Amino acid sequence: MSNTLRGDLEPLRRFIREGLTTDKQIAANLQYWAYWVGEIPVLWSADTDMLAPQHYSGEVLLGSLITGLELAPYRDLCACSIWALLIERPRLVENATLTGRLRSSIASVTGTATSLGNDTIRRLDQVAYRIGY
C-alpha cells in the first residue's frame, strides 16, 4: 500500500515540489491526466508521447480534477493540476458550470480538509482569485 493511501502525503508533495518545476514537466502532467480521463483519444505507444503537444479542450480534465479535489487522497496533486490547467487553458474560466463547481469545491475543501499542504492552499487561493471567487 502506498504511503499516500496510509496518510503520508509528503512523497506526493515532494513530487509536486521537485517533479513539477518546469513548464515541460507541468505540461506532461496535464497531458497525462487528459489522456487518462479520455480527453486525448489517440492511443499512446510510449510514455514519451505525453511530451508531444496534444490537442484537448481541458473541460473533461477540469471536471475530473474537481472531483479529485473533492474526493481523492491526492488532493494536493489535483489542486496543482487545476492551477496549472487554468494557466495553460485560461478560457476554461468562461465555463460557468465548471467554475461554479470549482468555487463550491474550493470552499468545501479549504473549509474541511485539514490535510492540505501550504502550497496547495496558496494555489487554491490563486485559482479562486482567477475564477472570481
Side-chain angles (χ1 to χ4, degrees):
M1 180 181 290
S2 77
N3 290 344
T4 300
L5 293 177
R6 285 189 297 245
D8 181 5
L9 297 173
E10 185 49 34
L12 179 64
R13 290 180 181 150
R14 186 173 45 253
F15 167 73
I16 295 167
R17 270 192 324 270
E18 298 172 11
L20 297 176
T21 58
T22 68
D23 290 343
K24 190 173 185 176
Q25 291 167 329
I26 292 168
N29 177 59
L30 291 175
Q31 291 182 164
Y32 170 82
W33 279 105
Y35 181 78
W36 189 76
V37 301
E39 196 163 354
I40 297 174
V42 177
L43 290 178
W44 290 352
S45 59
D47 288 344
T48 55
D49 290 339
M50 74 179 80
L51 299 174
Q54 306 284 326
H55 299 286
Y56 62 98
S57 73
E59 289 183 0
V60 174
L61 175 54
L62 182 56
S64 177
L65 291 170
I66 292 168
T67 299
L69 181 64
E70 297 167 343
L71 303 172
Y74 46 88
R75 287 180 172 142
D76 292 274
L77 184 56
C78 290
C80 177
S81 298
I82 290 168
W83 172 81
L85 182 61
L86 292 181
I87 291 169
E88 186 175 290
R89 303 275 196 281
R91 295 194 67 118
L92 286 172
V93 301
E94 297 171 12
N95 183 318
T97 302
L98 286 172
T99 54
R101 259 189 80 203
L102 186 51
R103 277 186 200 94
S104 175
S105 296
I106 290 172
S108 175
V109 165
T110 57
T112 61
T114 58
S115 63
L116 294 175
N118 291 335
D119 288 340
T120 299
I121 293 169
R122 180 182 50 79
R123 283 189 180 103
L124 288 175
D125 285 344
Q126 291 173 359
V127 168
Y129 180 78
R130 184 176 290 269
I131 64 172
Y133 182 26

